[in-house]
Amino acid sequence: MIFIDPPYNTGSENWVYNDNVNSPMMREWLGKVVDKDDLTRHDKWLCMMLPRLKLLRELLSDDGAIFVSCDDNEHHHLRMLLDEVFGDSNFVANIVWHARKSVQNDTDISDAHNHIVVYAKMRRQRNRRLKEDNA
């Protein structure tokens, strides 16, 4: 099992793309702060995540799973990326959890939650059932 909690890319973290990469476009990003005014921040976030997720998939055992924490800013991008790396048939669950205890009274819809997206490396394997009648 692997759990990762990458930067949420809300524009307020001021994360820096800092990898050993060969792409000329990505080399321009190295050492520069990614903030909310950066119109390519989602692209940069995806480029930062893709090689890490591919590596983590290789490190997982065949019966392993990855749990990735995120918020609404990148949830849809993350799901598409994980579908690409792990395959959409290996999606297990989207766990929603209450992110903060303070109550917001300014809206009827709460955004005080985050997600943990779960994918298996090989979800539909043989011999993974506990009982034969569950097949």
Side-chain angles (χ1 to χ4, degrees), residues 51-132:
R52 288 164 172 79
L53 291 172
K54 285 182 175 181
L55 175 62
L56 291 172
R57 185 182 187 287
E58 294 303 315
L59 294 173
L60 271 176
S61 64
D62 287 346
D63 63 349
I66 186 167
F67 295 71
V68 185
S69 180
C70 72
D71 68 358
D72 286 337
N73 287 294
E74 294 295 348
H75 181 257
H76 58 292
H77 292 129
L78 179 63
R79 282 289 307 271
M80 289 189 293
L81 192 60
L82 288 167
D83 278 350
E84 180 179 327
V85 173
F86 287 88
D88 60 352
S89 63
N90 287 312
F91 171 73
V92 175
N94 177 50
I95 302 167
V96 180
W97 59 280
H98 194 255
R100 55 182 175 250
K101 292 188 179 225
S102 65
V103 178
Q104 292 180 329
N105 293 325
D106 58 348
T107 182
D108 292 332
I109 300 173
S110 173
D111 64 353
H113 63 273
N114 286 329
H115 306 266
I116 298 175
V117 184
V118 184
Y119 277 74
K121 183 171 184 178
M122 298 175 71
R123 182 154 192 218
R124 299 291 180 212
Q125 292 184 59
R126 299 182 75 171
N127 301 324
R128 288 190 62 197
R129 302 278 181 192
L130 294 176
K131 293 190 275 183
E132 198 61 35

Side-chain angles (χ1 to χ4, degrees), residues 12-23:
S12 61
E13 298 93 356
N14 293 323
W15 64 274
V16 176
Y17 189 92
N18 191 13
D19 270 351
N20 184 11
V21 295
N22 294 322
S23 165

